[in-house]
Amino acid sequence: MVRVFLIMKEGWEAIIGMEIHAHLATATKIFCGCAVETGAEPNSNTCPVCLGLPGALPVLNENVIELGTKAALALGLEVQETSIFARKNYFYPDLPKGYQISQYDRPFSANGTLTIMTAERDDSGHATHWKPMDIHIQRMHLEEDAGKNVHEGLPEVDKYSYVDLNRAGTPLGEIVTAPDFRSSWQAYDYVNHVRRVLQWVGASDADMEKGNLRCEANVSVRRIGEEKFNNKIELKNLNSVRFMQKAIEYEIERQIAAHEAGEPVNQETRLWDEKNNQTRVMRSKEDAHDYRYFPEPDLQPLSVKAEFIEQVRSRMPELPDTMRNRFIETYQLSFADASQLVGDKDLAEYFETTARITANPRLAANWVLGEFTRELNSSGKSAAESLVTAEDLAELIITVESGKINNNQAKEVFAEMFASGKPAAKVIEEKGFEQISDTSAIEKIVDEVIASSEANVAAYRGGNEKLFGFFVGQVMKASKGKANPKVVNDILRSKL
Ligand SMILES: [Zn+2]
């Protein structure tokens, strides 16, 4: 029996809004020429601009505008003709200027509608009933990232904080939604959607483990029918989508329980405590910053022309959802198969090439999602890293279809192709799998078998049909297993 996982307590609804910070995948920082790279010697990628030294002036990196435009278009946002950089003032050791250059009331892009696919999950976490959902994305603005305070593996960390400013000045797109989500799984599906499209269009690596995509969730609950919002909790530092989902789920339950018990739910920032599977307070509202935003005097208003946006749009690849729908329509694939294929752009392209060459999309999808995906998973390789090209796989599929080798042999051949990168024909030859389908060659063997088994032939013709298998076995044996079984059957039937 399937019980729907984590049903919302009756009479209550959750109100969830999401904020995502995504590093835009530029080679250099947003306002200076320092390299953006992970794993560099601390503070080696710095200069007077990103160190915040007095008198240093920011210059906007043009590539940020291109990647920002790609991201905005992929998320259904409107790029604004004019946006304005603003100083967000606060003090923190990883922010040497004492302010972060961000955008405030005139963001880079706004007013987006993004259609995502979302599903609730059953007990084992399997998605049930995918359906489309429109998310209103209020804005994506551009800003610089701060540096990082480092405590691990350094001397006297109980006394000192260490600051690494390599990350300071890395370009970010901050993507803010309306409070549209009503469940943790909707938020989960949204973040995965955003990650995938940002990677897909090349706007961001969107790798949460490496910290180049971070998300925050604003969560509150209210009784169904109530208009006013209750205090919301901000969940921060969620470093995986799964932890985010768990943290939201925990918060929903915690807040409903508090409201029902008549206890206050304070507006505060909480963190996910992975060890104890619960959220805990990071800071309360009293510590909230007043950022005193004002326009950045050292940067011009940013103006993005319509022609530029159209140029970027024309260079964008087909987006995954469009591709998925096309796969369903053109190739008659199921929603699940098509979704799995577009889960990775290289895999989707691999499938499509294989489908086109073989002219058999169903079989191509079976191979790509079956043997190919299995080999990728067990080797830890991506589709792009595979030694077997889509053309090689197509050749193998065509060979199986022609009846030259059977399906089990094909699987064995494919495993060898994947390991060695050799083409199908070569592996088939090496393994001696080539089937004999030549009728005259098989006829000759059949004649010999019939001639040498007089007694059995007589018995078979006398009505012992079970003996048919005996003849098939003899012919296969004489051909060393290479005879095409279907041809053998046909010839035996006609000769006996
Ligand atoms: Zn710099």
Side-chain angles (χ1 to χ4, degrees):
M1 196 185 76
V2 176
R3 184 173 65 87
V4 175
F5 192 55
L6 302 165
I7 286 184
M8 180 72 57
K9 190 154 198 235
E10 204 161 331
W12 290 89
E13 68 175 346
I15 316 283
I16 305 157
M18 296 298 304
E19 284 174 30
I20 292 178
H21 285 87
H23 275 175
L24 298 175
T26 54
T28 55
K29 295 184 181 180
I30 184 169
F31 299 122
C32 62
C34 293
V36 175
E37 54 179 337
T38 45
E41 181 75 12
N43 298 306
S44 59
N45 291 325
T46 52
C47 73
V49 174
C50 55
L51 289 174
L53 299 186
L57 290 174
V59 177
L60 181 61
N61 177 349
E62 211 179 313
N63 200 23
V64 169
I65 308 169
E66 162 128 15
L67 295 184
T69 302
K70 279 186 178 171
L73 294 176
L75 296 171
L77 283 150
E78 292 166 8
V79 176
Q80 305 296 292
E81 211 180 307
T82 305
S83 62
I84 292 176
F85 286 101
R87 289 189 182 179
K88 180 178 179 180
N89 297 281
Y90 66 94
F91 176 77
Y92 203 67
D94 64 9
L95 189 73
K97 289 201 294 284
Y99 60 86
Q100 176 190 21
I101 304 179
S102 180
Q103 293 180 316
Y104 186 48
D105 50 357
R106 302 283 299 274
F108 178 74
S109 59
N111 197 26
T113 304
L114 181 69
T115 307
I116 64 163
M117 296 302 296
T118 183
E120 288 306 309
R121 306 302 200 273
D122 66 17
D123 268 354
S124 46
H126 288 126
T128 52
H129 310 300
W130 288 96
K131 53 182 192 299
M133 178 182 183
D134 281 351
I135 305 300
H136 178 216
I137 302 183
Q138 293 170 330
R139 56 192 277 151
M140 182 191 75
H141 61 256
L142 304 176
E143 62 183 26
E144 59 179 344
D145 205 348
K148 230 191 253 181
N149 286 352
V150 189
H151 297 103
E152 268 149 49
L154 290 159
E156 298 191 84
V157 286
D158 50 332
K159 278 195 209 152
Y160 302 110
S161 272
Y162 295 79
V163 181
D164 177 7
L165 294 171
N166 281 348
R167 199 180 69 179
T170 301
L172 287 173
E174 181 175 343
I175 305 153
V176 184
T177 74
D180 283 350
F181 306 96
R182 293 293 171 270
S183 78
S184 61
W185 288 113
Q186 289 171 356
Y188 177 90
D189 292 328
Y190 163 76
V191 174
N192 280 332
H193 183 109
V194 171
R195 281 172 62 194
R196 192 177 41 153
V197 291
L198 293 181
Q199 289 167 351
W200 194 278
V201 301
S204 172
D205 295 337
D207 185 336
M208 288 184 86
E209 263 175 47
K210 289 189 182 139
N212 52 33
L213 185 131
R214 309 194 287 270
C215 56
E216 293 166 28
N218 293 305
V219 184
S220 68
V221 299
R222 68 179 171 192
R223 286 183 201 274
I224 287 172
E226 257 176 30
E227 297 248 329
K228 81 167 181 64
F229 294 111
N230 289 313
N231 280 343
K232 67 180 179 197
I233 300 301
E234 195 179 29
L235 292 169
K236 262 194 193 291
N237 297 3
L238 303 163
N239 55 12
S240 88
V241 202
R242 188 71 174 114
F243 289 158
M244 177 201 79
Q245 186 272 330
K246 284 184 180 176
I248 294 174
E249 202 57 50
Y250 179 88
E251 262 311 299
I252 293 171
E253 283 174 24
R254 185 187 72 84
Q255 292 179 30
I256 291 174
H259 285 297
E260 289 196 329
E263 289 161 8
V265 173
N266 297 319
Q267 191 151 329
E268 59 199 9
T269 301
R270 296 175 79 96
L271 301 172
W272 178 243
D273 179 346
E274 187 187 326
K275 231 187 274 164
N276 299 308
N277 266 305
Q278 61 183 42
T279 65
R280 58 184 168 80
V281 181
M282 179 187 172
R283 60 170 177 252
S284 66
K285 199 195 170 195
E286 287 72 57
D287 309 323
H289 299 288
D290 171 9
Y291 295 118
R292 294 175 293 117
Y293 281 96
F294 63 84
E296 165 60 62
D298 293 336
L299 287 164
Q300 300 264 345
L302 171 61
S303 137
V304 183
K305 298 257 185 310
E307 297 136 79
F308 174 81
I309 298 169
E310 288 319 306
Q311 270 173 27
V312 173
R313 197 194 300 276
S314 70
R315 288 199 299 270
M316 300 245 296
E318 181 182 27
L319 291 175
D321 283 12
T322 318
M323 195 181 237
R324 182 198 60 222
N325 294 343
R326 187 168 58 76
F327 281 3
I328 293 171
E329 194 154 301
T330 314
Y331 303 127
Q332 276 84 50
L333 299 186
S334 68
F335 176 81
D337 284 355
S339 301
Q340 207 184 330
L341 287 168
V342 303
D344 174 67
K345 192 176 168 196
D346 294 320
L347 194 72
E349 283 167 358
Y350 195 99
F351 156 74
E352 188 145 43
T353 307
T354 311
R356 281 192 180 140
I357 300 174
T358 58
N360 191 333
R362 183 65 263 162
L363 209 49
N366 286 349
W367 273 91
V368 171
L369 293 174
E371 294 307 305
F372 185 56
T373 302
R374 199 171 5 261
E375 292 287 355
L376 291 180
N377 290 344
S378 64
S379 64
K381 280 185 182 167
S382 68
E385 290 163 345
S386 162
L387 295 175
V388 182
T389 63
E391 287 78 6
D392 293 336
L393 175 58
E395 186 200 327
L396 177 65
I397 294 173
I398 290 168
T399 310
V400 182
E401 275 198 291
S402 74
K404 266 193 188 167
I405 57 170
N406 66 37
N407 227 7
N408 285 337
Q409 290 172 326
K411 285 180 184 171
E412 207 180 314
V413 170
F414 183 74
E416 175 61 26
M417 288 167 71
F418 194 90
S420 67
K422 289 177 192 160
K426 178 99 181 123
V427 179
I428 291 168
E429 194 197 312
E430 282 175 5
K431 290 195 178 277
F433 278 165
E434 194 110 28
Q435 282 190 352
I436 305 169
S437 298
D438 172 13
T439 327
S440 61
I442 295 175
E443 252 177 46
K444 200 170 154 249
I445 301 172
V446 170
D447 287 343
E448 283 164 16
V449 168
I450 290 177
S452 64
S453 339
E454 270 174 46
N456 281 323
V457 174
Y460 177 79
R461 288 180 177 150
N464 187 353
E465 288 191 11
K466 279 184 193 157
L467 278 170
F468 192 75
F470 160 80
F471 294 110
V472 175
Q474 291 298 306
V475 175
M476 292 308 287
K477 197 171 149 194
S479 75
K480 300 192 174 65
K482 291 184 187 176
N484 180 325
K486 190 178 173 302
V487 179
V488 171
N489 271 287
D490 291 348
I491 293 177
L492 268 173
R493 288 214 188 275
S494 73
K495 298 234 171 197
L496 284 167

